[in-house]
Amino acid sequence: MRYFLSFISALFYTLPLPLLAQINWNAPESIDAKRSRISTASGQAVVVTANPLASDAALKTLEKGGNAMDAVISAQTVLAVVEPQSSGLGGGSFLLYWDQAKQSLYALDGRETASAQVKENMWRTSNGTAVPWLQATKSLSAIGVPGTTALLWEGHQQFGSLPWEANFQSSIHLAKEGFIPSPRFLRSISLANRLGIDHSPSFKSLYLPNGSLPKQKIPFRNQKLASTLSRLAKGGANEFYRGKVANELIENLQLQQNRHITVNTITNEDLASYKVQWRTPICRKYKSWKICSFPPPSGGGVAVLQALGIFELLSNKNGTQANTNRWHLLSESLRYADADRSHWIGDPIDWPVPLKGLLEDDYIEQRANTIQPQTTKFRPLPGKPKGSELLDLASQPRTAGGGTTHLVVVDVEGNLASYTSSVETVFGSRYLSGGMVLNNQLTDFSFLSTNSGKPIANRIKPKKRPMSSMSPVIVFSGDRPVLAVGSPGGWLIPHYITNALIGALDLQLSPKEIVAKKLLSVEPNYTVLEKSSAWLKGNIHQELESLGHQIKYSSFSSGLAIIKKHNGKWHGAADPRREGKAVGLQ
Ligand code: GLU
């Protein structure tokens, strides 16, 4: 995970400076600016994923009588084949799942977990500075115990309706017979190449055979992944964590380890002891809705709920008639929420996160009251929520990423899935095993465990999960789910989602209008506006400047996937900044 220059320079991180100059980490994938068609669909059941082949596979599953959980498995296994730069079985995921029959919402945490072998100082050099981020992403130490397969398995045991193996048919077929590489797939391979692939001969031989990109019009096959998927289809999660797939993975890592003997990485014991955590979703009232998202180790869910809470209070105080005022308040709300998440959030296995305090009405009001009608230009400080009295922590720098995907599904029964999945950066660590991309999620930990002698909540510890920005959301009106949304985008994920929620709920926009709208993001001292002016009318920047905002412009590679209920029907749209597709079943 990489740290933003502005923040780092104030801190103590060593960065790959030449790379920073070339890659915009708000939009690492260099989006196709000319792509203007937005994929939409509506019906009784709707699927939106980041890739047409994954959406089609999920739809097929629904047509066969599968439910939302089966559709998630079909889509995720296909994404592992066709969008391996963003997610796969060697990564981790968060699933927010509404079970219509039980009228209950569940949060399954399949986040990567640090090996029992990790050392607290593994991202620290002998002279006390942080290991350069780029170097860390390529290290075997960056690989966390993958959680995605376990999540899919447990989700299927609890909610699935088709046989487990039926949900692997499309992915096995595509891996074996091949698929036509999409422009984004090819761009991502080039980006991985720029990040460095010399450490991974298996990556080179699969994705850059003889040093060239796969041919544009020739089916791309991944035979090793086809056999891994076939094994998992037959043997389930046990095969991944204790069977042949596990043994092959450890052997592959050991082969690499022989070349880097001082490096610790995951073991058979780590794989065998991996557990999905069933967490309690976090929810807050926003106007007449209830917004639910993912709890820690996600910091994104807390940020979305806090930002909306602050935004609502400020809007009531100031009125949001004027467009400028709305964007001003959104920017301030996000900056305050960010200050809290970089300070208080980590895996609760290590520190007691003051979660209740962070979401309490009194605390949100206190935060809102510190915000001035004109932005102060000061970097907001973290607050002091109830429950934090005994914690004396330091903040960590913000992070960004490029290897994540989001999908949403609603089935005809009314079950709903909002699912974010990641390998961390583009193609994760670029190490492969059994054709699967292995994550580099342990670079999501703070690289240094203390600052000025104070511990950082997101410090590295054995068996701990790194803080994430992934924040799948489901919105309720009364007891009924009416909307599901999520996005990739590293640290900016909750910014994108808050933009989308304000669009959907306050402005009553359709999913298509939401994904077509320019996005607003923040840095500690800046408001960051999306470049291309084709999408949003008005010249809000000048008005924001007059309110004291320092403005920056950037592209964003969000990947919003959203479904919204309107007049008894579900409507979905995929973010045109990526290659997603929405499909529906009448
Ligand atoms: N690994 C990041 C996280 O969990 C997400 C990276 C991305 O969105 O690309 O927060």
Side-chain angles (χ1 to χ4, degrees):
M1 181 70 81
R2 108 157 251 301
Y3 294 85
F4 281 119
L5 182 58
S6 56
F7 210 97
I8 309 153
S9 54
L11 286 154
F12 30 68
Y13 290 81
T14 322
L15 284 163
L17 287 172
L19 253 150
L20 284 175
Q22 296 161 25
I23 296 172
N24 169 9
W25 285 95
N26 287 328
E29 290 193 15
S30 69
I31 54 166
D32 181 354
K34 288 199 281 302
R35 191 184 141 95
S36 55
R37 201 188 73 78
I38 295 171
S39 173
T40 60
S42 54
Q44 293 313 312
V46 174
V47 178
V48 186
T49 83
N51 186 284
L53 294 166
S55 299
D56 292 345
L59 184 68
K60 209 153 125 208
T61 296
L62 294 177
E63 282 167 347
K64 280 196 295 197
N67 65 14
M69 188 65 227
D70 296 305
V72 169
I73 301 169
S74 304
Q76 171 64 92
T77 49
V78 169
L79 289 170
V81 180
V82 303
E83 199 204 21
Q85 69 269 34
S86 300
S87 77
L89 301 166
S93 328
F94 290 155
L95 171 66
L96 207 55
Y97 194 85
W98 170 252
D99 183 329
Q100 176 70 9
K102 293 208 175 85
Q103 293 282 297
S104 294
L105 185 69
Y106 298 89
L108 275 75
D109 171 352
R111 181 77 165 159
E112 295 89 338
T113 302
S115 158
Q117 316 287 315
V118 296
K119 300 269 180 286
E120 202 170 311
N121 60 2
M122 75 178 184
W123 298 143
R124 202 173 68 204
T125 61
S126 48
N127 61 17
T129 57
V131 170
W133 168 79
L134 187 56
Q135 186 183 322
T137 67
K138 292 184 269 192
S139 161
L140 291 172
S141 306
I143 304 171
V145 184
T148 292
T149 309
L151 182 152
L152 298 178
W153 177 256
E154 283 210 28
H156 182 261
Q157 300 249 306
Q158 180 77 17
F159 312 114
S161 72
L162 291 182
W164 165 257
E165 57 273 26
N167 297 324
F168 282 71
Q169 276 168 6
S170 301
S171 55
I172 294 171
H173 176 79
L174 285 164
K176 211 187 265 173
E177 306 303 329
F179 61 94
I180 299 299
S182 72
R184 188 176 151 237
F185 176 79
L186 297 174
R187 282 200 301 271
S188 296
I189 297 174
S190 301
L191 179 55
N193 194 15
R194 285 167 72 192
L195 296 180
I197 54 168
D198 283 344
H199 60 294
S200 178
S202 53
F203 184 95
K204 281 175 145 178
S205 66
L206 179 63
Y207 291 113
L208 280 158
N210 307 315
S212 321
L213 284 173
K215 296 266 177 312
Q216 265 175 30
K217 291 190 178 135
I218 297 186
F220 177 86
R221 298 184 175 83
N222 186 342
Q223 299 297 357
K224 283 192 181 154
L225 185 53
S227 46
T228 300
L229 286 163
S230 303
R231 280 184 187 158
L232 298 179
K234 284 195 199 86
N238 201 41
E239 175 61 35
F240 188 94
Y241 293 94
R242 290 169 206 88
K244 270 203 181 135
V245 172
N247 294 337
E248 194 180 308
L249 192 137
I250 300 302
E251 273 164 31
N252 279 324
L253 293 179
Q254 276 165 358
L255 262 179
Q256 295 298 326
Q257 236 174 341
N258 293 339
R259 294 165 39 188
H260 314 275
I261 33 173
T262 53
V263 170
N264 285 318
T265 186
I266 53 183
T267 61
N268 277 110
E269 292 68 43
D270 290 326
L271 283 172
S273 60
Y274 184 85
K275 287 208 169 34
V276 173
Q277 300 291 335
W278 289 71
R279 304 207 182 263
T280 308
I282 49 172
C283 301
R284 262 195 116 251
K285 221 174 140 291
Y286 176 69
K287 302 190 176 171
S288 62
W289 295 276
K290 184 170 80 173
I291 319 279
C292 295
S293 190
F294 218 87
S298 168
V302 175
V304 169
L305 298 187
Q306 280 196 332
L308 285 174
I310 297 171
F311 179 80
E312 182 180 0
L313 288 172
L314 293 174
S315 313
N316 289 344
K317 240 191 342 201
N318 300 301
T320 48
Q321 298 318 315
N323 228 354
T324 330
N325 201 25
R326 178 176 293 118
W327 303 125
H328 164 63
L329 300 182
L330 174 61
S331 167
E332 293 298 280
S333 308
L334 289 172
R335 289 181 339 112
Y336 274 72
D338 275 4
D340 267 355
R341 76 171 147 135
S342 49
H343 194 84
W344 297 116
I345 310 293
D347 183 344
I349 197 178
D350 188 13
W351 295 99
V353 178
L355 183 59
K356 208 165 153 257
L358 285 166
L359 298 176
E360 235 166 39
D361 290 349
D362 286 354
Y363 178 70
I364 299 285
E365 199 175 328
Q366 212 180 298
R367 296 293 274 166
N369 285 342
T370 49
I371 294 175
Q372 304 300 315
Q374 297 223 333
T375 184
T376 58
K377 286 191 187 169
F378 288 122
R379 185 189 292 265
L381 295 173
K384 283 263 165 221
K386 262 191 218 140
S388 69
E389 296 78 5
L390 299 177
L391 298 174
D392 192 13
L393 299 174
S395 298
Q396 73 159 94
R398 69 202 323 234
T399 53
T404 299
T405 200
H406 185 80
L407 65 92
V408 285
V409 184
V410 57
D411 65 24
V412 284
E413 289 159 24
N415 302 302
L416 232 100
S418 188
Y419 173 80
T420 318
S421 188
S422 177
V423 286
E424 209 312 274
T425 196
V426 179
F427 283 101
S429 64
R430 280 83 82 204
Y431 282 115
L432 304 184
S433 176
M436 298 180 293
V437 168
L438 301 179
N439 69 83
N440 64 299
Q441 212 69 246
L442 302 195
T443 58
D444 267 5
F445 281 119
S446 173
F447 274 35
L448 299 182
S449 48
T450 58
N451 187 5
S452 311
K454 292 183 183 180
I456 290 173
N458 186 31
R459 65 185 178 180
I460 303 165
K461 286 270 174 182
K463 300 194 171 191
K464 190 174 165 181
R465 298 177 183 205
M467 173 171 68
S468 171
S469 298
M470 299 191 296
S471 19
V473 163
I474 296 183
V475 177
F476 295 82
S477 171
D479 294 335
R480 289 171 309 112
V482 291
L483 189 152
V485 63
S487 180
W491 183 264
L492 309 188
I493 292 172
H495 303 174
Y496 300 152
I497 294 174
T498 310
N499 276 259
L501 288 169
I502 288 172
L505 305 175
D506 289 45
L507 308 179
Q508 289 296 312
L509 301 180
S510 68
K512 183 178 180 182
E513 291 166 327
I514 292 163
V515 297
K517 203 159 163 34
K518 258 193 188 169
L519 293 159
L520 176 150
S521 175
V522 294
E523 290 180 15
N525 292 327
Y526 287 91
T527 297
V528 190
L529 298 176
E530 188 163 15
K531 257 182 198 164
S532 124
S533 56
W535 290 352
L536 190 70
K537 307 263 178 310
N539 204 2
I540 61 168
H541 73 278
Q542 277 171 358
E543 299 167 36
L544 283 179
E545 268 166 13
S546 72
L547 289 172
H549 289 252
Q550 307 194 77
I551 310 281
K552 272 188 187 172
Y553 287 92
S554 177
S555 309
F556 294 123
S557 55
S558 58
L560 288 158
I562 179 162
I563 49 171
K564 185 181 177 189
K565 200 165 190 182
H566 185 62
N567 289 341
K569 229 182 178 187
W570 287 94
H571 302 267
D575 197 323
R577 297 166 189 84
R578 297 201 177 192
E579 295 175 340
K581 183 179 177 189
V583 288
L585 201 63
Q586 292 312 315

